[in-house]
Amino acid sequence: MKPGSLRDRIGSILVEKKLVTPDQLAEALKAQKEKKERLGELLVSMGFISKDSLLEVLSLELSIPAVHLARYKVEPEAIAKIPKKVAEHYCLIPVSVSGSTLTVAMSDPMNVHAIDDMRRAAGMNIQPALAIDKDIKDAIEQYYGENVSQAIKDVMKDMSYESGIEIQDGSTGVDTGNSQDLLRLTEEEPVVKLTNSILIEGVKRRSSDIFVEPEETTLRVRFRVDGLLQEGVVTGRSMHAGVVSRIKVISNLDIAEHRIPQDGRFKIKIKDKYVDFRVSVLPTYFGEKVVMRILDKSQARLDIEKLGFEPEPLEALRKASQHPHGMITICGPTGSGKTTTLYSVLKLLDDPEKNIVTVEDPVEFQIDGVNQVPIRSEVNLTFAAALRSILRQDPDIIMVGEVRDGETADVAIKAALTGHLVLSTLHATTAAGAVTRLVNMGIEPFLITSSVLLAGSQRLVRKVCLKCREAYEPSKELLKQLGITEAHLKGKTPQFYRGKGCEVCGQKGYTGRAVLLEALVLSPQIKSMILKSAQEYELKRAGRAEGMKTLRENGIAKILQGVTTAEEVMRVTARDEDASGAIK
C-alpha cells in the first residue's frame, strides 16, 4: 500500500476491495463536503458498509490490529498516559499498557505526527490500533470525563471505598431472556466504579436525593443538598445504559423493562455505616431517569428537641402528642421533613407499654420498638386496607405515612375517634389549609372537630454556615418585604447574617437545615368556626389571634437569631395576610 494518510486512502481501498461501489463513494464524498465528517463514518451511517466490515478490511490492508471499543475494557493506567487534548485533537484513545509499550486505538493509525506526539507525552513506545471515529469519541467522553475521573479518584484516595462498599440488598435474579448484554455491562469495571462513585458522592455530600438523568449526548448526575440541586458528574451518554442497569440489578428490578416506571430499594455498607437507598426509575424521552432517595440513618435526628423548632410550635406539638387519642396531621410539600417530624414524635412517645404501629410508603427509617408496615399496592395493601387491619391489632398509637384520599382520611379520623392517637401527613400549604383539605376529601366538619388535635404546616430552611457567616444591617426595604416590624425588633437594631462561602459549606454559604412549623391548635373557637364552614384565611387569622406563629413569623425568628438568611425565608414561605385576608 502506498504511504499517506488513511483518510486520503480509505475510499480507494474500499472500492478496490469491492466493499463499496464508485457511485456510493461519490455520494459519500459529496455528503462529506456538506457535513464535514470522516469518510469511513459517513459510509457506515449511510448504510453502504457495516462498522465491522470496515474495521476488518482496513485492519488487513494496513496489517494493524482492530479494536472494537464498545466491547473492549480500557485500562485506567493507559488513560493516564495521554492528555485529553491530545486524544481529542488526533481522535485516539489509549487502551492498554504492556511493559514500555502503550497501545492506542486511532482513527488514523498512519498519522506519524500523532504517534510522535504520543511518544513524547507518554515516554513510551506506541503500538497503534485501528478503531472507528465515533467509537473513539464515545470512549473519550466515557473515560476522560473530568468529573467522573475526579469522583473515582476521590473515592479511591479519601475512603478506599472501592473495596469498602458492599451491596447488602438486591439480586440479579431477573428475566435474562433478552438481558444478557445488559447483565454483562453491569459488571464492567468502568460501570461499577462510576455507579459506586455516584452513590458515595451522594453520601459524602449529605444529599437527600441523587438524580441520574439522560440527555441527548450526555449523562448528567445531580445531588439535592439542603433542598437545592447541585451539579455532579457529567459524562458521555454511552455510560447511561450501564449505570441504570447496574442500579436496577442491585435494586432487584427488571433490567429488560424500559417502558414503565419501577420502584425498588437497596442498602450499601460503607466501612461500618449502613445507608439505605430508595429507587425510582422513570422512562423519559432520552432514556430512563433514576432518582435515588438517600436514607442515611447516621444523619437522621429523631430527637424532637434537636430538630430546631421554635418554642411555641414545639410546645403545641408536645402537648398534642400527650393526648390519649385524637389526630395530629402535618402538611407541607414533598421533602419538607414531615415524616421526620412524625418519627420524632413517635420516639418521644415510645414506651414498652404502648403498641405503636405505622403504615408507610415506603418505610424510610426502621425504629426500634415500632411495628412498621410497608404499603404494597400490587397486592392491594393500601393505606386504607392496612389501617383497617392495624385497628384489629389493638394499637395505642398509629402513624399514617400519608393521607392521600377520602377513604384513608375516613379510616384515620374514625381511628382517632375510637381511642387511638393518630399521626399523619397531608398535602396542603398551611396549617389551616390542612383542615379545608380534609373537608375537600369528604370528611364532615363535625368529625374533624371531634378528632383533630393539631394541624401543622412545615418547611425546611438552609442554615447559614457558621464558619464563614458575616453580619450586615438590612435595608428598610428588605425589612418591609419580610414584614418585620418594631414588634419583632423590640427596639433593637436588626442584624442579619449571610455566608460568604468557604470549604466547609462548599462555597454555598449554607450547611444543614432548620425546621419552620406553623401549628394550629383546634381550640373551642377554631372548632366553632370549622362547624360554620369558615374559610382558610379566617381560620389562620383566628389561630394567630390565639398565639399561632405563622411560617413567615417562624422564619423571621430564625433570621434574627442568625440561624438562616432573609433570602431563604422568602424562598420557602409566603407573606402573611392582614385582617381582611389580603396579602400585606
Side-chain angles (χ1 to χ4, degrees):
M1 179 179 171
K2 295 177 182 178
S5 171
L6 178 61
R7 69 178 65 184
D8 298 332
R9 295 280 300 148
I10 188 170
S12 57
I13 293 172
L14 295 176
V15 170
E16 288 172 8
K17 297 294 181 180
K18 298 184 178 179
L19 290 170
V20 297
T21 65
D23 289 341
Q24 288 173 332
L25 176 60
E27 185 178 346
L29 288 170
K30 182 179 178 181
Q32 187 184 31
K33 292 179 181 179
E34 299 173 359
K35 297 184 178 181
K36 306 297 182 182
E37 292 180 12
R38 293 176 184 264
L39 183 59
E41 190 172 344
L42 267 176
L43 289 167
V44 171
S45 65
M46 295 172 77
F48 295 155
I49 187 171
S50 71
K51 186 191 297 185
D52 288 347
S53 297
L54 177 65
L55 272 179
E56 182 180 353
V57 69
L58 292 178
S59 176
L60 289 172
E61 183 70 19
L62 299 171
S63 298
I64 293 175
V67 176
H68 296 271
L69 288 172
R71 303 192 289 269
Y72 194 93
K73 192 175 292 186
V74 173
E75 297 176 3
E77 297 86 350
I79 292 293
K81 299 292 183 182
I82 301 296
K84 182 181 180 181
K85 288 183 179 180
V86 174
E88 288 178 329
H89 180 71
Y90 290 117
C91 193
L92 55 85
I93 186 163
V95 293
S96 65
V97 176
S98 178
S100 60
T101 300
L102 177 66
T103 300
V104 182
M106 307 173 64
S107 61
D108 186 358
M110 298 176 65
N111 189 331
V112 293
H113 298 294
I115 293 173
D116 287 340
D117 283 354
M118 285 189 290
R119 188 181 293 116
R120 284 192 293 268
M124 302 179 71
N125 297 322
I126 304 300
Q127 174 62 55
L130 185 65
I132 295 294
D133 304 304
K134 185 178 184 304
D135 290 352
I136 293 174
K137 291 173 182 176
D138 288 344
I140 289 172
E141 286 184 356
Q142 176 178 335
Y143 293 101
Y144 276 100
E146 292 178 3
N147 291 330
V148 178
S149 300
Q150 190 58 47
I152 294 174
K153 286 177 184 176
D154 288 345
V155 168
M156 300 286 283
K157 178 183 68 176
D158 295 343
M159 303 184 186
S160 299
Y161 277 159
E162 289 304 323
S163 58
I165 189 170
E166 178 183 339
I167 305 299
Q168 296 293 311
D169 295 334
S171 167
T172 56
V174 295
D175 176 16
T176 58
N178 298 312
S179 309
Q180 293 297 333
D181 289 343
L182 283 174
L183 280 172
R184 282 194 295 270
L185 190 60
T186 64
E187 299 301 326
E188 289 186 359
E189 186 180 3
V191 169
V192 173
K193 277 190 173 183
L194 178 56
T195 306
N196 286 356
S197 74
I198 290 170
L199 299 179
I200 294 160
E201 184 68 14
V203 174
K204 284 175 62 180
R205 293 195 192 196
R206 297 187 177 184
S207 312
S208 60
D209 302 88
I210 301 174
F211 296 76
V212 180
E213 303 166 309
E215 297 184 342
E216 187 172 7
T217 59
T218 60
L219 175 63
R220 183 188 194 190
V221 177
R222 294 189 291 172
F223 303 94
R224 188 178 294 282
V225 181
D226 293 335
L228 297 182
L229 287 172
Q230 295 180 2
E231 288 291 346
V233 173
V234 177
T235 185
R237 174 72 183 277
S238 58
M239 292 296 287
H240 173 256
V243 170
V244 172
S245 296
R246 175 71 180 167
I247 293 169
K248 282 185 174 183
V249 165
I250 62 179
S251 304
N252 199 20
L253 300 178
D254 186 354
I255 64 172
E257 180 57 71
H258 308 287
R259 301 163 299 172
I260 61 174
Q262 296 187 67
D263 296 299
R265 66 188 305 154
F266 63 91
K267 182 189 296 182
I268 65 174
K269 181 181 180 183
I270 304 176
K271 291 191 174 180
D272 297 323
K273 181 168 70 172
Y274 290 91
V275 182
D276 289 297
F277 288 79
R278 196 173 77 205
V279 179
S280 174
V281 182
L282 180 70
T284 68
Y285 185 77
F286 290 117
E288 289 175 295
K289 173 183 176 179
V290 178
V291 177
M292 292 175 281
R293 170 66 57 89
I294 302 177
L295 308 171
D296 187 349
K297 295 179 183 179
S298 68
Q299 299 298 326
R301 293 183 297 175
L302 302 182
D303 186 339
I304 197 169
E305 302 288 348
K306 296 180 180 178
L307 291 179
F309 292 110
E310 286 298 296
E312 294 88 351
L314 175 60
E315 183 60 23
L317 186 59
R318 287 178 63 91
K319 281 185 177 180
S321 66
Q322 298 305 315
H323 280 254
H325 57 82
M327 184 173 182
I328 298 171
T329 184
I330 305 294
C331 64
T334 301
S336 59
K338 303 185 297 294
T339 302
T340 300
T341 295
L342 293 187
Y343 278 159
S344 68
V345 174
L346 287 181
K347 289 293 289 182
L348 179 69
L349 300 174
D350 191 14
D351 188 306
E353 296 180 357
K354 291 179 180 177
N355 179 15
I356 303 176
V357 187
T358 75
V359 51
E360 305 171 61
D361 183 24
V363 173
E364 295 198 8
F365 291 105
Q366 295 173 1
I367 306 175
D368 293 337
V370 176
N371 305 283
Q372 296 172 272
V373 180
I375 290 302
R376 298 187 184 278
S377 55
E378 68 273 12
V379 292
N380 292 321
L381 182 60
T382 61
F383 278 107
L387 264 176
R388 291 192 182 94
S389 296
I390 287 169
L391 289 172
R392 295 193 288 271
Q393 295 274 319
D394 189 27
D396 297 298
I397 301 168
I398 303 169
M399 187 187 108
V400 185
E402 184 181 342
V403 175
R404 295 177 178 172
D405 50 54
E407 184 183 13
T408 306
D410 182 63
V411 179
I413 289 284
K414 288 176 180 176
L417 288 171
T418 54
H420 307 89
L421 181 62
V422 178
L423 313 177
S424 72
T425 71
L426 190 68
H427 280 292
T429 55
T430 66
V435 175
T436 56
R437 175 73 178 127
L438 288 172
V439 173
N440 291 338
M441 285 182 170
I443 305 300
E444 294 289 345
F446 75 89
L447 291 176
I448 296 173
T449 58
S450 301
S451 58
V452 177
L453 302 168
L454 178 145
S457 179
Q458 183 169 306
R459 301 292 188 275
L460 296 176
V461 290
R462 293 181 295 170
K463 294 195 294 185
V464 67
C465 176
L466 296 177
K467 183 74 173 178
C468 64
R469 75 174 186 173
E470 60 180 5
Y472 71 98
E473 187 174 332
S475 65
K476 291 181 179 179
E477 180 60 32
L478 180 56
L479 293 175
K480 185 178 178 181
Q481 270 187 290
L482 286 162
I484 295 178
T485 64
E486 285 299 324
H488 293 108
L489 299 176
K490 298 176 182 178
K492 297 179 181 178
T493 302
Q495 189 175 56
F496 287 12
Y497 289 87
R498 58 192 169 204
K500 293 186 293 185
C502 64
E503 292 182 2
V504 173
C505 61
Q507 306 304 322
K508 301 295 182 182
Y510 298 94
T511 53
R513 288 189 286 181
V515 185
L516 308 181
L517 178 65
E518 176 181 287
L520 177 68
V521 178
L522 267 66
S523 65
Q525 182 186 348
I526 299 291
K527 290 179 180 180
S528 176
M529 295 176 67
I530 293 171
L531 290 172
K532 294 176 183 177
S533 302
Q535 296 295 310
E536 179 180 334
Y537 80 89
E538 294 174 318
L539 294 175
K540 181 175 180 179
R541 184 178 62 197
R544 294 181 71 184
E546 293 183 355
M548 180 187 79
K549 299 296 183 184
T550 66
L551 287 169
R552 174 57 65 91
E553 288 172 330
N554 275 267
I556 289 170
K558 296 292 187 196
I559 293 171
L560 297 176
Q561 293 164 18
V563 172
T564 190
T565 64
E567 292 75 16
E568 268 298 283
V569 172
M570 289 191 289
R571 181 178 69 85
V572 302
T573 67
R575 297 181 67 180
D576 293 321
E577 304 87 2
D578 61 18
S580 67
I583 302 295
K584 286 182 180 179

